[in-house]
Amino acid sequence: MFRRIGAAVVRHPVWTIVAWLIAAVAIVATAPGLPSNSDESSFLPKSYESIKAADLQQKAFPSAFTPSAIALYQRTDGGRLTAADKKDITRITTELGEKKIDQVQKVVPGPPSKDGKYSLTLVQMDSKNAGQPKQADAAKTLRDDLGQLAKGTHLDVKLGGSAAQALDQQDSSKRGQALIGIGTFVIILVTLLIIFRAPILAVLPLLLIGLVSAVANGLIAYATKLFGLQANSSISSILIVVLFGVGTDYFLFLMFRYRERLRAGDEPKQAMINAVDRVGEAIASAAGAVVIAFLALTLSTLGFLKQMGPALAIAVAATLVAGLTLIPAVVSLIGPKVFWPSKSWQREPENARFAALGRAVRRRPALSAIASGLILLALSAGTLGYKATFDLASGSMPKTKESMVVQDEMQKAYSAGAAAPTDVYLSSTDGKPLDKSAFAGYADKLGAVDGVASARMSQLNKDGTTADFTVTLKYEASTDQAIDAVQGVRDAAHADAPAGTKALVGGMSSIYKDIDAAVNHDYRTVFPVAALLIMVILGLLLRSVVAPWYLMASVGLGFGATLGATVWIFQKGEGHSGLMFMLPVIMYLFVVAIGTDYNILMIARLREEAREGRDPREAAGMALRHAGPTVAAAGFILAATFATMMLAGNSLLTEMGFAVSFGIAIAAFVMAMFFTPSLTALIGHAAWWPGHGDRAEESAGTVPAQAAGMDDRDPAGHGR
């Protein structure tokens, strides 16, 4: 099949390129805009208690005041607020409300801090548009207007709250995307220049993958609209890296084999057909593993991951199609001039380092397997200290952003949980009005829960059937202590609810508690499904039942080593309270799926060497010698491109960038180079049971290479 694809593309390169250009223009011109949502509650399905509580609040208290933005005032000299300062704050609050800013429904004064140094203005926005870009625009207008209104006073005013966080997150994301994009381009360009010493080859993948990126983004926008998926600004940053990192991987897989066939004496167009034929199955299997792993995210209960899975799967699928059609078409059109001005493509290098590594694995496969396995196990020990953190807002932007400064200062000036109180909604189950005499005792029981600072009945709906009890926790909403405390509030709210009533607990801490439960569900569902489907792909590729098991075991060890190293670096070294809650899921999918690429490439080459008549140990050594440079180059570029995410300046992308780049480095330089070929050499022919994937291919008039005492390679050991 891949030979037919290669032949069709190489014989009609111009038509292939024209078809891509027409498709790109049509998709980009007609694709809808990609919406964005930063509201954490929208990531959860309706079945969770925090979402049920939010829905009840909308019905029972449609006009309830929930601030979307908070203006925090303090004197410029840091002293206590004077009578004149308080008068200025009242004026600013009144004038801000009179401006009738889009999305803003109410502007009211907030309580002063106990030390008299701070005061607040609370801004309510349309709850139907929570987390949407239009509320970030409203926050920008509020911030500008507050600055103007505070001129000439002794007040320093900053805007925080969810809408301001969405604005700062948006700005941080744009900056991060720019840095990631520039870093990715520079790394790919410089690395390819060093490898090939050919400017055309260095620039070509950037141009071609740029075209694929436009197509992929358009297809993702279509899918997002068609299936009603949620979007998040962090996905754009990850897409850049996936498209250019994975695309460059497939480009390298193809170009290394194309160069090898040219050195073997193939005519240029035939060399490309042979390259697609030889490496097409490995590229398709590698991409298939990645696509399936990403699609497994659709089983997630979190909207953020449900969107990420199909988006990344579409990106990789588009990259695969380009790798088998667009790239061969363009390169075959240019021919060997693609390597200009370098002449090194004409002669085979000694590959002394990889030849030496191959000999070491061939002679001592047990030592190689044990040493690499111990390294992975030692790093995996760090997973025992893993903790999760759920503050997606502060995790996705630097602490210096204005909304983050407000959040930190409010925690010091007010009760840590005051900025995001927990609400307990007590409702009548029979439709009759609630017994008000039970409210005080119920509030006392909620207030007695460990971790609760105060609890009070704050409002009753007009029918008297639902009461809202405001519970202020002692801790900031996203901390482990707050999440533990809110579980205690839930237990008390349900257990102590008066007869004939039902309680629901809402608020940010309740949402984080449910996100924690959702992530744990994903660990039990997404991980096994992704692993099973990747094993099926490996089994189909290798025609083996045995090999997929130890290949997936090696990748599992790689995941453990990656998570362990990330815990040690960020929790132990940097002092983070925990890693971002979705990191292990993302890490698992990237490391398992993309890390499998290198195992697939190495094992496919090992099978190819075995089919030429080599015994298992020699086949492993030769595979490392010949596929090692490709894996090393591809692994370095992909790890380095993911590392550019650390330039974004926020903890989410910094942790993700380190973890995935480290995991890919482990996959390329430990698993694919040593662990996998060593185990395959040790297991021998049994690795391919029940098929005969490693048996020498014989046909009429031919004999196995070793049986003839020679092979089809030149003295340097490479195919002619």
Side-chain angles (χ1 to χ4, degrees):
M1 181 181 77
F2 295 102
R3 189 170 193 83
R4 289 197 297 271
I5 292 172
V9 167
V10 169
R11 285 170 188 156
H12 307 286
V14 174
W15 285 113
T16 302
I17 296 166
V18 168
W20 264 94
L21 290 173
I22 291 172
V25 170
I27 290 170
V28 172
T30 59
L34 189 65
S36 181
N37 198 331
S38 59
D39 179 16
E40 281 94 335
S41 65
S42 67
F43 298 163
L44 288 167
K46 301 293 185 185
S47 58
Y48 282 87
E49 181 171 350
S50 59
I51 307 304
K52 289 180 179 177
D55 290 342
L56 176 60
Q57 185 249 321
Q58 288 291 321
K59 294 173 186 174
F61 307 103
S63 60
F65 191 91
T66 304
S68 298
I70 301 170
L72 179 68
Y73 303 92
Q74 66 179 126
R75 281 185 60 84
T76 52
D77 60 10
R80 290 173 64 88
L81 296 171
T82 66
D85 296 329
K86 293 174 183 177
K87 188 176 179 181
D88 284 329
I89 292 170
T90 302
R91 174 185 58 79
I92 292 170
T93 302
T94 302
E95 291 185 17
L96 200 62
E98 291 172 352
K99 287 184 175 288
K100 305 296 182 185
I101 298 167
D102 181 45
Q103 295 298 307
V104 173
Q105 295 178 329
K106 283 184 185 177
V107 181
V108 300
S113 62
K114 290 180 181 178
D115 61 9
K117 292 183 177 181
Y118 296 88
S119 191
L120 304 173
T121 290
L122 307 177
V123 181
Q124 178 177 298
M125 295 188 188
D126 187 351
S127 60
K128 294 177 183 176
N129 295 319
Q132 297 298 328
K134 58 179 69 177
Q135 294 208 347
D137 295 340
K140 188 176 189 309
T141 304
L142 283 167
R143 194 170 275 172
D144 292 341
D145 288 346
L146 281 166
Q148 290 294 324
L149 293 171
K151 275 187 178 178
T153 70
H154 296 288
L155 295 171
D156 175 37
V157 57
K158 297 183 182 73
L159 190 73
S162 59
Q165 287 175 355
L167 173 63
D168 290 341
Q169 195 174 8
Q170 196 178 83
D171 292 342
S172 180
S173 178
K174 287 177 183 176
R175 175 181 174 275
Q177 283 180 42
L179 289 171
I180 288 168
I182 293 167
T184 299
F185 277 37
V186 169
I187 286 168
I188 293 173
L189 190 66
V190 171
T191 308
L192 291 178
L193 276 172
I194 292 170
I195 292 171
F196 293 107
R197 300 180 182 86
I200 297 175
L201 262 183
V203 174
L204 194 60
L206 296 175
L207 296 176
L208 296 181
I209 298 166
L211 177 64
V212 176
S213 176
V215 171
N217 275 294
L219 293 174
I220 289 164
Y222 274 121
T224 300
K225 184 176 181 180
L226 183 64
F227 298 107
L229 301 171
Q230 297 288 346
N232 185 276
S233 54
S234 296
I235 291 175
S236 300
S237 301
I238 299 168
L239 270 176
I240 293 170
V241 177
V242 169
L243 280 163
F244 283 90
V246 173
T248 305
D249 262 15
Y250 299 160
F251 179 83
L252 283 171
F253 291 177
L254 191 66
M255 292 310 300
F256 269 92
R257 189 53 75 101
Y258 175 59
R259 187 175 66 178
E260 184 178 320
R261 297 314 308 163
L262 286 174
R263 286 169 174 167
D266 289 357
E267 181 271 331
K269 290 188 179 297
Q270 190 61 43
M272 181 54 74
I273 294 172
N274 289 339
V276 174
D277 179 36
R278 292 287 186 93
V279 85
E281 187 179 25
I283 291 176
S285 300
V290 179
V291 167
I292 280 181
F294 287 156
L295 285 178
L297 281 176
T298 57
L299 299 174
S300 169
T301 48
L302 294 172
F304 171 71
L305 295 177
K306 275 181 178 288
Q307 159 67 8
M308 180 181 287
L312 296 179
I314 289 168
V316 174
T319 307
L320 166 63
V321 175
L324 296 177
T325 58
L326 181 61
I327 292 172
V330 172
V331 174
S332 66
L333 202 60
I334 300 171
K337 290 179 182 177
V338 76
F339 297 105
W340 179 89
S342 173
K343 303 289 186 183
S344 62
W345 66 272
Q346 298 173 347
R347 60 187 181 277
E348 187 67 47
E350 290 299 322
N351 277 346
R353 290 188 183 88
F354 292 100
L357 290 175
R359 286 193 297 272
V361 168
R362 184 182 65 197
R363 290 170 185 163
R364 295 185 177 85
L367 179 62
S368 297
I370 291 169
S372 52
L374 286 175
I375 290 171
L376 297 174
L377 283 171
L379 289 170
S380 298
T383 58
L384 299 174
Y386 168 73
K387 289 183 180 179
T389 183
F390 297 88
D391 188 358
L392 193 59
S394 62
S396 58
M397 69 185 104
K399 292 288 186 183
T400 53
K401 285 290 185 181
E402 187 172 323
S403 59
M404 291 296 97
V405 173
V406 170
Q407 180 174 291
D408 291 343
E409 289 185 351
M410 281 192 66
Q411 287 179 36
K412 296 170 188 173
Y414 296 83
S415 170
T422 295
D423 290 285
V424 176
Y425 298 102
L426 189 68
S427 299
S428 169
T429 55
D430 56 10
K432 295 178 181 178
L434 294 168
D435 179 9
K436 296 180 183 179
S437 65
F439 289 171
Y442 189 61
D444 288 342
K445 288 176 180 177
L446 293 175
V449 173
D450 190 31
V452 172
S454 65
R456 60 185 176 83
M457 202 289 286
S458 53
Q459 56 185 332
L460 189 67
N461 73 336
K462 62 181 180 180
D463 297 329
T465 55
T466 300
D468 176 10
F469 292 81
T470 300
V471 178
T472 303
L473 303 178
K474 295 177 181 177
Y475 316 105
E476 195 275 320
S478 65
T479 60
D480 290 341
Q481 298 99 314
I483 292 168
D484 290 340
V486 89
Q487 182 59 54
V489 171
R490 283 184 176 182
D491 293 341
H494 298 153
D496 297 324
T501 66
K502 179 180 70 173
L504 289 173
V505 180
M508 288 311 302
S509 294
S510 186
I511 288 170
Y512 292 137
K513 180 68 182 176
D514 286 340
I515 288 176
D516 188 25
V519 170
N520 288 330
H521 164 272
D522 291 350
Y523 290 161
R524 296 189 300 270
T525 307
V526 177
F527 281 23
V529 168
L532 181 63
L533 292 175
I534 291 173
M535 283 182 68
V536 170
I537 284 185
L538 290 171
L540 292 173
L541 168 67
L542 304 173
R543 281 76 167 174
S544 166
V545 172
V546 176
W549 284 98
Y550 69 81
L551 289 176
M552 287 306 298
S554 74
V555 174
L557 276 174
F559 166 76
T562 303
L563 181 57
T566 308
V567 168
W568 272 327
I569 293 290
F570 291 98
Q571 286 185 207
K572 309 296 184 185
E574 296 289 324
H576 290 195
S577 60
L579 302 180
M580 200 54 59
F581 67 91
M582 82 280 280
L583 187 63
V585 177
I586 294 170
M587 188 190 305
Y588 176 84
L589 292 165
F590 278 105
V591 174
V592 170
I594 297 179
T596 303
D597 282 10
Y598 304 124
N599 269 343
I600 286 174
L601 188 69
M602 186 62 73
I603 204 82
R605 187 63 188 241
L606 193 152
R607 181 183 61 181
E608 190 178 319
E609 298 292 341
R611 282 176 171 175
E612 292 184 0
R614 295 182 171 84
D615 65 54
R617 293 194 179 198
E618 187 179 2
M622 293 300 287
L624 183 52
R625 176 176 181 172
H626 301 313
T630 310
V631 170
F636 172 79
I637 288 179
L638 192 58
T641 52
F642 271 104
T644 60
M645 293 170 71
M646 298 172 71
L647 300 173
N650 67 66
S651 59
L652 171 60
L653 291 179
T654 299
E655 290 173 3
M656 195 183 299
F658 171 82
V660 177
S661 61
F662 185 85
I664 287 168
I666 286 286
F669 296 100
V670 179
M671 292 190 299
M673 292 276 193
F674 296 101
F675 198 65
T676 297
S678 298
L679 282 178
T680 307
L682 285 171
I683 296 170
H685 295 297
W688 307 95
W689 184 87
H692 304 287
D694 65 332
R695 298 296 167 85
E697 295 179 324
E698 296 185 55
S699 59
T702 65
V703 293
Q706 284 191 335
M710 59 181 291
D711 61 21
D712 66 342
R713 297 178 178 274
D714 61 23
H718 298 272
R720 287 194 297 272

